[in-house]
Amino acid sequence: MRAIAVERGSEGPTVIERPRPEPADGEALLRTLRVGVDGTDHEVIGGSHGGFPEGEDHMVLGHEAVAVVEDPNGTDLSAGEVVVPTVRRPPAAGANGYFERGEPDMAPDGEYVERGIVGDHGYMAEYFTSPPEYLVAFPEDMWEFGFLTEPVSISEKAFEHAYASRSAFDWSPESALVLGNRSLGLMTLAMLEFGVDSDRSFAEHDFERTYCLGRRERPDPTVDIIEEVGATYVNSNETPLETVSEDFEAMDFVYEATGYAPHAFETVEALAPNGVGALLGIPDSWEFEVDGGRVHHELVLHNKALVGIVNSHVEHFEGAIDTLTELPEWLLDDLVTTVATPEDAKPAFEYGHDQIKAVVEFDRL
Ligand code: NAP
Ligand code: BGC
Ligand code: ZN
């Protein structure tokens, strides 16, 4: 079968041939429909994040997938069912407490592998196998957008953790700022603007004013989407993050999805008293000057919080599916700018400004 992989020493992804996997006992065989590409895939391809499966010279890419059950192989799945797989799996040493508790997303380095990212092959192949506990049923009539479940699940987790960090007092947020205007940033902005996170912790508060910061000049398709969802575009060439609170307003919630390391610290300045920032970017080592005293002072004297967020678990996937069914279809259509084939997957990895979300389509339902 065809698969798209990174090979040691290669410049970019290549199409390789691999044997179709045989499901082990307790695993089902899945036929891949679509696999999305995000900023992390570019970081993996560039070598700044993730790692090859032990002893192998290549790794199949892809962690945002939607697939159909080809062979349930004795599991309680049904042939033909549409499912989305989670990303983390137990390490070679076997399942640990994080997996047993259903919270593999909270496991530290070394206590998990991630399919298509860290130490395990991903989903960019015609078939893959998985135990059923890592698969979540997805509505058939929306299968084309199933691969968006994984990224939306990350924001479900971010909202849950950010909200929990403010739950000890009466928090009434009104303003939210998303940093980054590609796929993760734009989907999260829409969730905030349309108030559609599944546990309703944020939606209940109904953010009255939402903003998205990017570094692009108009005309630009992502700026059009920001304005169509009803948010305000902040051009960081005119208003850097440090001065957002003066030029616009101090924010109750900031969601960082740029991977630009200075934003982690500048977020503290952009937050309103009692505000919370969720950091999602995964930068490589990066040295720069920071007024650490100022950051410390602001965090303490204004009860601000920063939470780092990575990965998600099955409940976040279930929440993400509810959320996806509530987002307007025009938005999902506008976000998916590139549908590539496995024979010619190159366009899915091109990173032009016209590309927001790219997907490789292996098969259709
Ligand atoms: P992406 O496609 O690389 O998008 C990053 C966006 O940030 C782009 O729109 C980029 O602008 C913008 N940006 C970068 N530096 C900027 C700066 N200095 N000022 C203003 N805007 C800036 O990545 P993504 O898929 O949306 O994901 C965003 C980040 O989150 C990545 O680092 C990714 O690895 C990470 N991520 C983390 C998790 C997690 O579990 N923690 C999950 C998914 C993704 P241009 O397009 O104009 O260059
Ligand atoms: C994925 C997460 C993963 C993280 C770190 C993200 O792009 O969506 O599932 O945990 O990268 O590798
Ligand atoms: Zn991702």
Side-chain angles (χ1 to χ4, degrees), residues 30 45 67 70 101 126 133-134 140-141 156-157 159 161 216 228 240 269 297-298 311 322 332 337 346 356 359-361:
L30 292 309
I45 294 164
E70 176 79 5
R101 289 191 292 277
E126 287 175 72
E133 62 265 32
Y134 300 118
E140 205 171 287
D141 59 346
E156 294 283 337
K157 173 175 172 179
F159 288 6
H161 283 236
R216 304 205 193 163
E228 273 165 51
E269 195 65 40
H297 175 104
E298 270 304 305
N311 199 250
D322 287 347
L332 303 181
T337 50
K346 219 168 149 213
I356 301 173
V359 69
V360 181
E361 185 170 281

Side-chain angles (χ1 to χ4, degrees), residues 152 155-161 163 187-188 190-207 319-320 322-324 326-327:
V152 169
S155 295
E156 294 283 337
K157 173 175 172 179
F159 288 6
E160 185 187 19
H161 283 236
Y163 190 63
M187 277 188 293
T188 305
M191 288 167 73
L192 290 165
E193 179 62 36
F194 297 123
V196 293
D197 70 312
S198 68
D199 74 2
R200 308 287 164 208
S201 47
F202 269 47
E204 215 176 86
H205 287 289
D206 194 10
F207 285 95
D322 287 347
T323 294
L324 276 173
E326 289 187 45
L327 285 174

